[in-house]
Amino acid sequence: FCKFSMLSDQLQVKAGDQYDEKVLNAALHFNRESTDIASLYMDQGHLLFSVDVVKTVNDGTIDLTLKLFEGPVFTVSEILVSGNTSYPAKKVLKKIECKSGEAFSRSKLNRSVEKIGSLGAFDPEQVVVDPKPNLETNEVDILFEVKEI
């Protein structure tokens, strides 16, 4: 899916740089700006994407080998909302950017959580997304759990 040069740019680690595990992890997994390598893959439907880092120490240097597992592309099947007792689910669903039939996208889920939290009807800290993948069909149901204020 991604070209080496694109991954290298996202990684922001160059030969000769001082090794910083925090910088590496932010470049690989779940940074707030969604510019990490996991986001690149998850925004293209690769819900099960993972990366293993193999570190080899040689004479004061560290060689890094990244083993990427893309996994299959998942399609959004059903989108559900729970925890809303008085606020209509239909209004919540309008704020959700991902749609049935589209490829899974982590960035869309994150933006949807922000939009739901800004409605003023729910505790923004209590909006939780629970993807439920079906490994046989490569489809994912997405549950948005909310807590009304």
Side-chain angles (χ1 to χ4, degrees), residues 92-124:
V92 177
L93 290 169
K94 285 183 181 179
K95 296 294 181 184
I96 298 173
E97 291 189 17
C98 49
K99 304 295 179 208
S100 248
E102 292 181 349
F104 174 84
S105 170
R106 195 181 84 179
S107 292
K108 285 185 178 183
L109 289 183
N110 290 341
R111 287 192 303 270
S112 299
V113 166
E114 289 175 13
K115 287 180 178 183
I116 292 168
S118 69
L119 285 171
F122 307 106
D123 179 347

Side-chain angles (χ1 to χ4, degrees), residues 1-10 40-41 68 70:
F1 155 70
C2 287
K3 294 181 180 179
F4 176 78
S5 61
M6 183 181 198
L7 293 175
S8 180
D9 290 345
Q10 292 300 117
L40 291 175
Y41 281 88
L68 306 177
E70 289 183 355

Side-chain angles (χ1 to χ4, degrees), residues 60-109:
T61 65
I62 297 175
D63 292 332
L64 299 175
T65 303
L66 304 179
K67 296 181 179 184
L68 306 177
F69 172 73
E70 289 183 355
V73 172
F74 277 78
T75 302
V76 175
S77 180
E78 198 171 0
I79 301 170
L80 307 161
V81 178
S82 74
N84 54 316
T85 54
S86 60
Y87 197 87
K90 202 172 210 176
K91 287 186 177 183
V92 177
L93 290 169
K94 285 183 181 179
K95 296 294 181 184
I96 298 173
E97 291 189 17
C98 49
K99 304 295 179 208
S100 248
E102 292 181 349
F104 174 84
S105 170
R106 195 181 84 179
S107 292
K108 285 185 178 183
L109 289 183

